[in-house]
Amino acid sequence: MLPHVYRVTKYDPADRDEHGHYTGPEDTVSDHGVVETAYLRAVEAFAANVGVDRLCIREPQIPSLAHFGVAPPLDDFGLDGLFPTGPAGFHDGAEVPLDIGLALVRVMLRDGGAWCRLEVDGVFAVHVGWDQYLYIGSNRPCEEALARTRALGLFPERLDASPYDVEADEEDIQRPGDDDFWAGVRWAVATGRAGTLEETYLEGASRWHHLTRDTIDVVRAGLAPRARLAVWPALLSDIDAVLGALPVDGLVEGVWQDKDGRIHSAVADETEFPELAARIVGADAAAVLSVNADDRAPLFTAVMPDRDGVVRARWRTEPTSSDRNWAFLKTLHRGQVVTGTVTRIASFGVTFVDIGGFEAMINIPELSWRPVDHPSDVVTVGQEIDAEILDVDPIRDRVSLSLKALQEDPMPLLIRRIGRTIVGRVTKLVPFGVFVRIEEAEVENGFEGLVHNSELADGRSDNPQPGIQVGQALLVKILDVDPVQRRITLSHRQAASPVPAPPGDLP
């Protein structure tokens, strides 16, 4: 916000009632003549006073329904011939010389359709309001410009701020359309979740793009500077179902892809539904979307950053659940310890944990250092746990956790027991040997070792496991412990029967 702000009008302050409403004889539209020229000369005077000869276009817009509707759009919105590069030059962040800036002020005074804020960050601003109200701000007093404005027959009034100042909420979620965003787009397209991109290049104007693995880079390269992006599912090929989704009345946006692969859109009300349906009926694919922001639900959104990677556009997209997840995941990092609540245990064995509204996951091997047959052996739904973050994947919206990372691995302690003979319980018979638990039965999921068939009996035998049953006590010797491979090698044949030791807690 600039410290010196003036409302510049053709209205004499003496002609206002007690509520501040103008009651004088002046018309509230542009005269396209002497008064309009006076406004432009006043802007020019303030710009000269602060040494500004170029202005930055911010938050440009055009009438949305006129642009999108099935009726022909308004001609050029007053922009014809203003930009050397054509209408594409009218975008957020575009710098224009003062003469083009003054021409834009004229367009806005005439209510030609296009509107924007004209600013030099921290130095100067020109905002055009309704009914010929002009707001000029500067970073220094402009006595010469004020005198010039009064001499032109206009009335400058000091204000605290322009009503058109933008106060961005720093806590708003705003995802940049950077490399990470496009990696997410690529993943969503590859997995069949996404298929179209909505590009809002002006407030009130947008283009739609077909997304495939082969077109993503081309689409990205052709986007307007600082455009707002919304990623959507693919259009539906069942045209009858799309047309059946048209409501009885209200406003909708129809989006369809023609035979040449180009995507079109139009906003229509119930009176225009027949024409909209006629356009859609011959399409390859289409969709009908609500124009109500509360009912529009893209997969995720972003705003294109400048070339240096910084998002300077002040407008915001409406955050989706995926955008909120992205913002939350930005606060996480590997090795961080989080507290969460177990929400569910999937049939395929993954444990899901709510960490601040986001559902993270724990795979079975990360539940415990000891063998786990099912997550319910370690955790229960509703249980609060502490876990360490193993990985944060914002592209796939995944966070992997580990319970065992916060615990000491007991297996290395077994190394001290190599060479000892103990009595263990047989837990499983397999073709190549038997597994024996070498810890007390009271130790849940106690470590087990393998007694290979060759270590079950002396000499060669066609049946090395005669009479051995699950649950049987078996004398074994610990031959080797491999903490990396999680393997314990045992021998019954080499067990020293005179000095057996019962299985017990680790030393």
Side-chain angles (χ1 to χ4, degrees), residues 104-305:
L104 285 170
V105 171
R106 180 186 291 113
V107 168
M108 291 184 275
L109 287 170
R110 293 182 179 184
D111 197 18
W115 188 88
C116 66
R117 298 175 181 85
L118 294 165
E119 301 176 349
V120 177
D121 191 31
V123 178
F124 184 67
V126 180
H127 303 154
V128 179
W130 294 102
D131 299 337
Q132 308 294 290
Y133 281 85
L134 199 65
Y135 301 89
I136 303 177
S138 63
N139 65 345
R140 69 185 74 169
C142 295
E143 297 301 331
E144 294 178 12
L146 288 169
R148 172 66 173 152
T149 299
R150 295 186 181 100
L152 289 166
L154 302 176
F155 300 92
E157 301 172 77
R158 184 71 183 267
L159 300 177
D160 292 331
S162 164
Y164 295 93
D165 280 339
V166 175
E167 296 184 28
D169 186 348
E170 295 299 328
E171 295 185 0
D172 278 356
I173 295 171
Q174 187 53 76
R175 193 172 188 175
D178 55 12
D179 290 344
D180 287 344
F181 169 82
W182 287 100
V185 172
R186 194 172 298 278
W187 170 256
V189 169
T191 55
R193 294 178 58 232
T196 52
L197 175 76
E198 181 184 14
E199 172 202 4
T200 302
Y201 58 95
L202 295 176
E203 182 69 53
S206 68
R207 293 183 284 255
W208 288 79
H209 307 276
H210 182 47
L211 295 177
T212 68
R213 295 183 184 185
D214 297 329
T215 63
I216 289 174
D217 291 337
V218 174
V219 169
R220 180 181 182 182
L223 295 174
R226 303 188 183 183
R228 286 176 290 180
L229 311 177
V231 178
W232 293 84
L235 300 178
L236 300 176
S237 57
D238 187 345
I239 301 300
D240 290 338
V242 173
L243 294 176
L246 280 170
V248 175
D249 54 27
L251 278 175
V252 299
E253 182 175 7
V255 183
W256 66 95
Q257 181 176 317
D258 64 23
K259 300 298 182 181
D260 296 325
R262 293 171 298 188
I263 298 183
H264 310 268
S265 70
V267 170
D269 62 20
E270 61 273 9
T271 65
E272 297 159 324
F273 284 175
E275 185 174 351
L276 180 62
R279 296 189 181 194
I280 291 177
V281 73
D284 281 352
V288 172
L289 305 174
S290 171
V291 298
N292 187 339
D294 292 337
D295 297 327
R296 289 176 75 90
L299 300 174
F300 46 96
T301 69
V303 171
M304 286 297 290

Side-chain angles (χ1 to χ4, degrees), residues 422-465:
I422 64 171
V423 175
R425 294 284 177 183
V426 176
T427 59
K428 187 176 5 178
L429 305 181
V430 293
F432 49 84
V434 300
F435 284 92
V436 177
R437 175 175 291 179
I438 62 171
E439 293 182 276
E440 296 248 5
E442 290 77 12
V443 178
E444 290 189 24
N445 303 314
F447 286 116
E448 299 174 347
L450 172 65
V451 183
H452 192 270
N453 284 340
S454 61
E455 295 294 333
L456 277 174
D458 289 325
R460 301 173 60 87
S461 173
D462 295 333
N463 183 16
Q465 306 175 8

Side-chain angles (χ1 to χ4, degrees), residues 325-362:
N325 287 344
W326 168 84
F328 177 68
L329 297 190
K330 294 285 285 184
T331 68
L332 306 179
H333 57 83
R334 291 182 182 180
Q336 180 179 348
V337 177
V338 294
T339 299
T341 302
V342 177
T343 55
R344 58 193 174 103
I345 298 174
S347 58
F348 48 88
V350 173
T351 301
F352 290 92
V353 182
D354 184 321
I355 54 169
F358 181 88
E359 204 169 55
M361 55 196 269
I362 308 176

Side-chain angles (χ1 to χ4, degrees), residues 465-487:
Q465 306 175 8
I468 296 179
Q469 298 179 352
V470 172
Q472 174 184 336
L474 191 69
L475 191 66
V476 294
K477 180 179 182 178
I478 301 176
L479 299 183
D480 186 46
V481 176
D482 185 341
V484 177
Q485 298 295 325
R486 317 299 294 173
R487 292 175 182 168

Side-chain angles (χ1 to χ4, degrees), residues 52-90:
V52 165
D53 61 3
R54 296 184 70 80
L55 299 173
C56 182
I57 294 172
R58 300 308 308 267
E59 294 80 46
Q61 60 183 260
I62 57 177
S64 58
L65 291 182
H67 177 77
F68 284 133
V70 290
L74 298 177
D75 292 338
D76 68 45
F77 307 106
L79 300 175
D80 188 38
L82 282 186
F83 299 94
T85 58
F90 188 57

